[in-house]
Amino acid sequence: MSLGNNIKQFRKELGITQEELAARLFVTSQAVSKWESGAGLPDTAQIVPLAKALNSTPDALFGFNSTEYDSEYANKVCFEANQIRDQKDVSKGSVEAVDFLETKCQENLFNYGILTRYVQAVAHMSRFVDCAGLFAGEEDNAKWTSYVKTAEFRAQQVIRYSGDKELAEKCHYALCWIYWHDKDYDKGREHLGALPSISSNMLRETISSYYAYVEDGMDALRDSVRENYQNFVRAINKQFVYSAEQFMWEGTLEEVEANCHWALSVMDKFMENEKMRPYCQGFYRDTAKYLIAAYLRNNMPEKAAAEWKSLVKKIDEYVAFCDKINAQDKAQLLKDFGEKGTENMIHYNREFADSKIAFILSQLKSWCDGEVFANFEKTI
């Protein structure tokens, strides 16, 4: 990823020698050799001519616009960050996850997957700044401002240089949340406008299966339809969760019940197709969590306990499902469930499920009266 390595790579791709490159730039071949070995650097005035001589760009010379990064390692880092984040002290966990990702970003300057995850982690932490008073002191507030500035910088790196549309959209999305919680709505709307919308209904998913069929036949059609369904399911389930959260904090109990019961019934229907289950389980868990929280906040521990038992049963069923499915060949899993679904199921073992249950209980306890929660705990 060094400048020297990039110069060497682009030179070899052009099929020219160090001497030929040196002649184009009116420098010595020894200077080019030093650049490539890292023993020296070109003058700043030479960067643009150097890029042109190599049929490249200054950004590419410095490695900013490469779409290639170690995505497998990025996924591993993201999973570790989520484990740190989802501890019982949720606000503390959110800070520790961001600090962990900061270290990984410093170690992997051009891994756009890790940079994106950092921005998303700051967005997650922003909710505790807004509603739990995290970084409330003057000195701590400066620390929060520093986190936001770093997230902005890393997001712009991804958006401008990664060449990965999905990662760029994730950064725009995360910045929307950061600015919303920071009450900087004008900045937030700038990034909101950069996100795609379903309102036009002109989505590539609605036509991609037709292209898959004529180009590669029925197997490709089946794969395309399955993937499209999974993407649509994820989108509607995310709206279910966000609506449940908003109604839990701001709406009436009747609104929470109506929204959550309907959403959970729809997800139950989705999960009748087993290939949709990995794209529902987490959303189902969180939607049920907000319903349970609403009952606790309205001093109804018995109703909350009934919903809790139903949720734990659903989690147990999914653990058993993952144990069974994970016994299959991974290549077949990827074909049937896609990369996101396979990754979800590989990690969803008993230990992971128990950590999620403990995390949810800690959240519920922090959201309601202590006596109400104690009565709830006795019932479950």
Side-chain angles (χ1 to χ4, degrees):
M1 283 295 187
S2 72
L3 175 61
N5 286 337
N6 289 338
I7 293 171
K8 184 177 181 179
Q9 178 185 332
F10 288 128
R11 177 179 61 77
K12 287 191 170 184
E13 287 176 358
L14 281 177
I16 61 176
T17 65
Q18 289 182 343
E19 290 77 12
E20 289 171 317
L21 177 58
R24 294 183 184 186
L25 297 169
F26 304 103
V27 298
T28 65
S29 60
Q30 289 82 1
V32 173
S33 177
K34 286 183 178 180
W35 298 344
E36 292 187 355
S37 67
L41 293 172
D43 292 335
T44 55
Q46 291 173 316
I47 295 298
V48 173
L50 176 59
K52 289 181 178 179
L54 293 171
N55 195 26
S56 182
T57 65
D59 287 341
L61 282 183
F62 287 98
F64 286 129
N65 67 344
S66 173
T67 59
E68 296 180 6
Y69 64 92
D70 191 341
S71 58
E72 187 173 338
Y73 181 66
N75 289 337
K76 180 176 180 293
V77 168
C78 292
F79 180 76
E80 291 175 8
N82 289 347
Q83 292 292 92
I84 294 170
R85 180 196 68 191
D86 294 345
Q87 54 183 284
K88 291 185 179 180
D89 186 337
V90 290
S91 60
K92 178 184 176 184
S94 71
V95 177
E96 291 181 1
V98 171
D99 291 342
F100 165 77
L101 287 164
E102 170 62 26
T103 300
K104 295 301 180 182
C105 286
Q106 293 290 346
E107 295 171 355
N108 303 270
L109 295 175
F110 300 111
N111 190 312
Y112 295 112
I114 297 176
L115 298 184
T116 299
R117 192 58 189 155
Y118 177 91
V119 183
Q120 292 177 309
V122 174
H124 175 79
M125 183 168 63
S126 69
R127 66 176 56 207
F128 302 109
V129 177
D130 180 46
C131 67
L134 190 64
F135 304 127
E138 185 175 342
E139 183 178 339
D140 285 340
N141 189 257
K143 187 176 182 181
W144 164 244
T145 301
S146 175
Y147 281 125
V148 172
K149 293 296 183 185
T150 304
E152 289 174 321
F153 172 73
R154 297 226 162 101
Q156 290 305 323
Q157 278 186 277
V158 174
I159 292 166
R160 291 176 180 173
Y161 304 124
S162 73
D164 189 315
K165 187 171 181 289
E166 183 178 349
L167 292 185
E169 289 175 355
K170 286 180 178 179
C171 285
H172 282 301
Y173 192 85
L175 287 175
C176 282
W177 279 117
I178 291 171
Y179 293 134
W180 187 84
H181 283 290
D182 233 17
K183 299 179 175 58
D184 196 343
Y185 304 122
D186 288 339
K187 275 190 177 181
R189 287 198 172 277
E190 289 176 14
H191 292 278
L192 189 64
L195 292 170
S197 171
I198 63 171
S199 60
S200 73
N201 201 29
M202 303 302 162
L203 302 174
R204 68 171 178 262
E205 283 82 2
T206 58
I207 197 170
S208 61
S209 58
Y210 286 84
Y211 277 81
Y213 171 69
V214 297
E215 291 170 348
D216 297 302
M218 279 301 298
D219 283 345
L221 169 63
R222 294 185 185 98
D223 289 345
S224 179
V225 169
R226 183 262 305 159
E227 184 177 341
N228 289 345
Y229 282 155
Q230 289 171 335
N231 285 331
F232 284 127
V233 162
R234 286 174 63 223
I236 188 63
N237 285 348
K238 178 176 283 190
Q239 182 61 55
F240 284 151
V241 171
Y242 287 171
S243 298
E245 181 181 24
Q246 287 178 297
F247 284 131
M248 188 272 284
W249 289 111
E250 306 292 344
T252 66
L253 177 61
E254 290 74 19
E255 286 175 314
V256 181
E257 286 183 305
N259 183 78
C260 291
H261 284 146
W262 174 64
L264 294 171
S265 69
V266 173
M267 283 188 266
D268 274 327
K269 196 66 181 178
F270 284 155
M271 287 189 284
E272 289 180 9
N273 180 337
E274 69 173 19
K275 293 179 177 60
M276 302 301 122
R277 291 191 71 172
Y279 298 87
C280 290
Q281 183 65 31
F283 297 108
Y284 191 102
R285 182 186 63 228
D286 286 345
T287 302
K289 173 183 71 179
Y290 290 123
L291 176 59
I292 294 166
Y295 284 136
L296 290 175
R297 286 164 60 83
N298 283 273
N299 195 17
M300 302 170 73
E302 295 83 5
K303 277 201 168 187
E307 293 292 343
W308 175 261
K309 290 172 185 176
S310 176
L311 173 59
V312 170
K313 181 181 178 183
K314 186 73 69 174
I315 292 173
D316 291 344
E317 289 172 353
Y318 189 62
V319 170
F321 173 76
C322 291
D323 287 343
K324 174 185 172 184
I325 293 295
N326 286 335
Q328 298 180 24
D329 177 67
K330 186 172 181 179
Q332 187 62 43
L333 289 181
L334 288 167
K335 179 174 175 57
D336 289 343
F337 294 94
E339 186 176 350
K340 289 183 176 70
T342 300
E343 190 74 16
N344 176 289
M345 292 186 296
I346 287 173
H347 292 305
Y348 215 106
N349 54 28
R350 185 70 261 170
E351 182 182 2
F352 179 81
D354 287 343
S355 71
K356 287 294 183 184
I357 289 172
F359 175 64
I360 294 171
L361 282 173
S362 71
Q363 285 187 303
L364 294 173
K365 185 176 182 179
S366 69
W367 292 343
C368 68
D369 177 77
E371 185 177 346
V372 174
F373 187 80
N375 291 331
F376 165 72
E377 276 195 307
K378 291 175 186 176
T379 312
I380 63 173

